[in-house]
Every structure is written in structure tokens, then in C-alpha cells.
Amino acid sequence: MNINQKKRKSVSGSIYLFDTYERKERLFVPLKPGRVKMYTCGPTVYDYPHIGNLRAYIVADVLRNTLEFNGYKVKQVINITDVGHLTSDADSGEDKMELSARKQKRSAFEIAELYTGIFKQNLLALNIKPPSVWSKATDHISEQITLIQRLEKAGYTYLTSDGVYFDTSRLSNYGHLARLGVAGIKPGARVDIGEKNKITDFALWKFSPKDRKRQMEWQSPWGIGFPGWHIECSAMAMKYLGETIDIHTGGIDHIPVHHTNEIAQSEAATGKQFVRYWMHVAFLTVNGKKMAKSEHNFVTLQDIVDRGYDPLAFRYLVLTSHYRAGLNFTWPSLRGAQKALLSLREKVSILGNKKVSPDKQELQEFKRCINNDFNTPQAIALLWKIADSPLTPQKKAAILEFDKVLRLNLGYLLSEKIPEEIRVLVQKREDLREDNKWEESDRVRQEIIKKGYEVRDTSAGPKVIRRGL
Ligand code: AMP
Ligand code: ZN
């Protein structure tokens, strides 16, 4: 996969993105001019999100901000998977929610509420804009049942003793997204398919076990049970965004099963194309291995904060790599990201808060980077190039415009309130310096440092910042 795209002479406003379905970069053209309908697969809320998961949402946020930067009005849905995701991504194993509830001795609904709250707090800390709609799978059981009934009527389903299944043999192009091929599975793989007709068939509705009562279960035309994992995304995407949506995002692990099945069931039900552009984020890894709960190699955002890092240092780190390339997480790389981010903020704060219009040429250059399949590493390089050159107020204003997409709080130091007591000391020091009372002025400087602030003398006058920033 070539992600070091050549610099395109793109017309300002035209966005190229890599569509996983076509396996190539395509010019983005939404279904309705000026409007974008976007669906982002949300987390399964049985445990803390890890920073690998969070990478996927930072990328989706940059995508959304880029579209808005180009003048599009974006409607974004993020779902909350609070039922039906089994410990395998396919149809075997236990429901992750019920398993976690049992382990933590709480109800599955309490578990869902707890981790949904933490997930939303994590997004806030990472400066990720909330979506237009949050949609919870358990709030949309009837929509899922209706969609399964539609599939049943059209002859795409069959019953087994443990549920209602989708018959993938009815579709000639099943698995195209993942390039699964006719057999649907790599030769040599031995998998127990139970009562399924075909390995690729998947559950739309599963019955509750006969010997045990589930916490989350609902009546349905087929019997008491719960929806399969994939059907929730099709049902909720269609409810809020319509039968054809513009962009669907998720991590690359969703290509072979979850998204493949979303396409199959949605297109079988409607006869229409479900998604016009598929976007997938590569993995955050640790020592080259995917960060995952099951690998016990995960780091949470709280771990990052506990070690004294700004969550936005992690956002910066994510932006330094292209979303289609793997990103290997290390603590030293996070340290480097924090240093770089703080230094950028300082550079931006030098010229104070005067309002001027942003440098047009730099804005164009920035658009050229991000409209080229969201090339954030190029955008960050541009940011540094500008910050390291003599910074005019117009160039600084351009950087603050870039921040509408990057959302790194680059203007943070500009908006920080310096306490009155510190301002008085800074002025006192200035007066002493004017009178050439260097020793006394230095004593005042030390006093300012003791109170947690620092004065830097710049050509534009003294600059005060909080120490450690
Ligand atoms: P889940 O909660 O497992 O449904 O995952 C939520 C989102 O995180 C999905 O879009 C996954 O594809 C994505 N994801 C999971 N692990 C990683 C990882 N290590 N790096 C990047 N994205 C990931
Ligand atoms: Zn999904």
C-alpha cells in the first residue's frame, strides 16, 4: 500500500480518500452536494477503551474536521455496542457484556453505562468532537428485528437451533470488501461451523441459552434472544443516515467479518449500495503486535495521564503517522510527542492574541496535505516549517486555522489566564529592569518561578507561561 502519495495539484476543496472497497484513492463526491453522512463503528463497552481503539476515533475526528474545513455539513453517527459482540468476532463464544458483568459482579447494563461514560470522557480529553448522534444497540432492538424480518421476507435467512442466520451463498459478491474469494475462507483453515450451512454465514438473531437466563434478552418473532453484532450497525446507520451513506469508518480488523457482513445484510435488504466510501484505520501496535485486550499489552488514556502526559500529546503522536500505516506505541515516542506539542504551543503564543486574517498560501498548502487522503504527517511537517520560520501574525493565524482540523489546542497558551498576583510581579520586574536594577529584578523573577510561572523575554515583550508547559 503506497501511502506516501505524490503531492497532488488538487483543486482546493476536492478531497481524495483511499476507499478500502475499491482499494484505491478516489475523489470524494457525496451523495448530496455539500452534505456528508458518516457512520463510525463504536466501541464494545465491556471494559476500558485502550489507546489503540482511541486511535480509530482520533482518525475519524480528523476526517470529519477535514470535511467541515472544506465546507461540508457532516452528520456523524457513532454507535455503542452494548450487546451481541461475542468473544470471537464471529458467532462463537460468550457475549462480551455478559461475561464482563459476571466477572465484575455487576449487571450488564451497569457495565455498559460505566464504560460508555469512560469512553465519552476519553473522547473529550482527546478533543474529539461528539458525533451528531450517539446510538446504543440496546435502544434499537425493534429496528434490528424489523431489518431481520425484511431479510427473511426476501429469502436471505434460515433458522438453526440457536438462531436466525444470514445465507451468504445468496450473494455472488459476498466478501468483496475483504477479497474473501469464492470459498470465503483461506484454504486449510479448520473451523467448527456448527449448524451453519457455510462458514461465512452469520447470526442475525441468537436465542438465549436454554439452561441459563441472559441479563440482556428480548422477545422476537423467532424466540427470546438477542441481536447478532453486525445487524445493529446496519439498522442504526439506516435509521439515522438513510439506506446509502457516504463514509463508513472503523479499524482494519473490521474488514473481513463485521463490515463484510454489514454490506451483505444491508444491500440484500435494500437492493442499494450501502456505503460509498469505506475507510479503515491501521493498528496501533506494541512491539509490532496489535494492541488488544486479549494480548494483555494495552495502555489506557488514564495510564497516559497518570504518567504525567497531556492526552493531546497522544493525539499529536497519532497525527504524526498516516492513518493507513501501523503505529508502534512506545513511551519514549509519547515523550517526544509531548515535547514537540509543548514547543509548538510556545512558538504560537509568542505573538500574543491580535486578530488578523490567516496567510492564504499556507492555508492552501495545508489543505493540499489533508485533502490528500488525510496526510496528517505532511500537515504536521508544514506546521513545523511555519513555526520555525520567522512567524508573522498572519502565519500564526494560519496555524490556528489548521488547529480546527488537528485540534491540538495550539492556542492553549494564548488563552490561559495568568493570575493577577503574577501579572503584578511581572510588571514589577519590568519596572526594575527599566531602572537597571538587575539584582532586584532577578529576585522577582525567582519569586515568579516559585509560584509556578516563568517569564521569557521576547522581542514583543515579556511572555509569561505556567512552568512545565
Ligand atoms: P471494539 O471496541 O473492539 O469494537 O473496537 C473499537 C474500534 O477500535 C474499532 O473500530 C476497532 O477496529 C478499533 N481498534 C481495535 N484495536 C485497535 C488497534 N490496536 N489499533 C487501532 N484500532 C483498533
Ligand atoms: Zn459496526
Side-chain angles (χ1 to χ4, degrees):
M1 188 183 304
N2 173 24
I3 49 176
N4 293 317
Q5 309 96 327
K6 8 178 198 351
K7 271 199 184 165
R8 236 189 228 100
K9 297 248 177 316
S10 75
V11 189
S12 164
S14 48
I15 300 173
Y16 287 82
L17 58 83
F18 187 90
D19 173 18
T20 315
Y21 198 84
E22 299 286 343
R23 295 285 195 278
K24 65 174 189 222
E25 272 184 38
R26 294 173 53 212
L27 174 67
F28 176 66
V29 183
L31 199 56
K32 283 203 186 131
R35 291 178 179 271
V36 183
K37 297 189 168 179
M38 174 177 169
Y39 188 90
T40 298
C41 273
T44 309
V45 285
Y46 70 107
D47 205 338
Y48 287 93
H50 56 66
I51 58 171
N53 302 129
L54 295 172
R55 179 187 194 196
Y57 301 101
I58 292 173
V59 168
D61 185 57
V62 169
L63 161 63
R64 173 181 165 181
N65 301 338
T66 299
L67 292 162
E68 289 176 345
F69 197 71
N70 281 271
Y72 289 105
K73 198 166 179 326
V74 182
K75 181 169 181 187
Q76 184 193 20
V77 175
I78 304 185
N79 68 295
I80 297 290
T81 298
D82 56 353
V83 68
H85 191 172
L86 305 187
T87 44
S88 86
D89 267 3
D91 302 309
S92 57
E94 201 178 339
D95 189 320
K96 290 185 180 188
M97 298 300 303
E98 302 250 338
L99 184 64
S100 172
R102 214 173 46 244
K103 277 190 186 158
Q104 300 195 34
K105 298 194 171 43
R106 292 176 179 203
S107 84
F109 291 96
E110 279 168 357
I111 291 286
E113 201 172 306
L114 171 67
Y115 293 114
T116 300
I118 291 169
F119 175 70
K120 289 183 178 175
Q121 278 168 14
N122 281 185
L123 296 202
L124 272 181
L126 289 165
N127 246 356
I128 294 171
K129 278 192 208 151
S132 328
V133 179
W134 282 113
S135 64
K136 230 164 67 168
T138 52
D139 284 344
H140 297 81
I141 300 297
S142 68
E143 286 86 346
Q144 294 176 72
I145 290 176
T146 305
L147 188 55
I148 300 169
Q149 284 177 311
R150 212 167 151 185
L151 289 167
E152 188 178 39
K153 250 193 216 136
Y156 285 98
T157 64
Y158 62 89
L159 269 175
T160 73
S161 66
D162 87 331
V164 182
Y165 281 81
F166 185 93
D167 180 1
T168 56
S169 65
R170 287 281 316 274
L171 299 173
S172 58
N173 62 347
Y174 176 82
H176 181 75
L177 177 73
R179 305 296 189 262
L180 285 184
V182 194
I185 187 138
K186 291 179 200 87
R190 290 212 337 240
V191 186
D192 177 14
I193 68 170
E195 291 173 51
K196 290 199 292 193
N197 294 342
K198 206 173 166 202
I199 177 73
T200 48
D201 292 353
F202 55 91
L204 296 165
W205 186 264
K206 291 206 69 159
F207 301 136
S208 294
K210 294 195 175 53
D211 54 339
R212 191 161 41 84
K213 191 169 159 41
R214 277 177 57 95
Q215 296 185 33
M216 291 177 153
E217 56 181 15
W218 295 266
Q219 291 287 353
S220 83
W222 311 280
I224 291 180
F226 60 101
W229 171 34
H230 321 300
I231 197 76
E232 64 167 275
C233 285
S234 294
M236 295 190 287
M238 287 187 204
K239 172 169 181 177
Y240 295 106
L241 302 173
E243 293 185 344
T244 298
I245 65 178
D246 291 301
I247 303 177
H248 195 313
T249 75
I252 52 172
D253 50 341
H254 283 350
I255 298 172
V257 181
H258 185 51
H259 289 166
T260 288
N261 294 342
E262 277 189 39
I263 295 174
Q265 66 203 5
S266 305
E267 299 193 350
T270 67
K272 296 178 191 159
Q273 183 183 32
F274 176 45
V275 170
R276 291 160 60 82
Y277 300 86
W278 282 96
M279 277 192 58
H280 290 98
V281 185
F283 290 144
L284 184 89
T285 56
V286 178
N287 296 326
K289 260 194 159 171
K290 177 191 176 192
M291 180 174 285
K293 291 275 153 54
S294 53
E295 295 287 345
H296 305 289
N297 63 356
F298 63 91
V299 172
T300 65
L301 200 61
Q302 190 59 48
D303 295 333
I304 280 182
V305 171
D306 289 347
R307 291 208 191 187
Y309 294 102
D310 180 339
L312 294 184
F314 175 64
R315 186 175 171 112
Y316 180 93
L317 180 66
V318 167
L319 299 186
T320 56
S321 75
H322 191 272
Y323 78 92
R324 282 193 291 119
L327 169 60
N328 197 50
F329 176 79
T330 62
W331 288 102
S333 66
L334 184 63
R335 200 175 313 133
Q338 171 126 320
K339 242 180 108 185
L341 176 61
L342 298 183
S343 151
L344 271 175
R345 284 178 180 164
E346 249 185 58
K347 284 172 190 279
V348 171
S349 71
I350 288 302
L351 291 169
N353 229 345
K354 218 168 67 200
K355 288 248 179 311
V356 291
S357 46
D359 184 306
K360 280 211 175 69
Q361 224 174 326
E362 303 294 10
L363 275 185
Q364 282 241 322
E365 192 55 33
F366 178 71
K367 259 195 184 172
R368 215 164 282 148
C369 301
I370 51 159
N371 287 4
N372 190 8
D373 197 26
F374 317 102
N375 200 324
T376 53
Q378 265 182 16
I380 298 265
L382 172 68
L383 196 56
W384 274 104
K385 199 187 93 200
I386 302 172
D388 278 341
S389 62
L391 200 56
T392 62
Q394 289 76 8
K395 282 184 191 278
K396 193 196 77 175
I399 288 180
L400 294 177
E401 283 294 301
F402 302 175
D403 207 34
K404 289 183 177 162
V405 174
L406 306 175
R407 292 176 69 87
L408 292 167
N409 283 3
L410 294 174
Y412 178 75
L413 295 177
L414 293 171
S415 55
E416 217 207 356
K417 290 254 178 301
I418 305 294
E420 187 55 27
E421 172 195 23
I422 304 295
R423 285 184 194 282
V424 169
L425 286 173
V426 171
Q427 193 51 54
K428 188 169 160 192
R429 173 175 173 267
E430 274 309 283
D431 295 344
L432 291 168
R433 276 156 56 91
E434 258 175 40
D435 296 342
N436 293 333
K437 295 182 175 162
W438 304 111
E439 263 179 43
E440 277 175 69
S441 84
D442 206 46
R443 236 176 286 132
V444 177
R445 196 175 76 90
Q446 292 303 332
E447 206 179 321
I448 294 171
I449 289 175
K450 266 196 217 135
K451 291 186 189 290
Y453 287 81
E454 205 171 312
V455 194
R456 308 222 173 132
D457 297 305
T458 76
S459 52
K463 173 100 208 101
V464 192
I465 57 169
R466 200 144 44 87
R467 272 163 64 80
L469 283 176

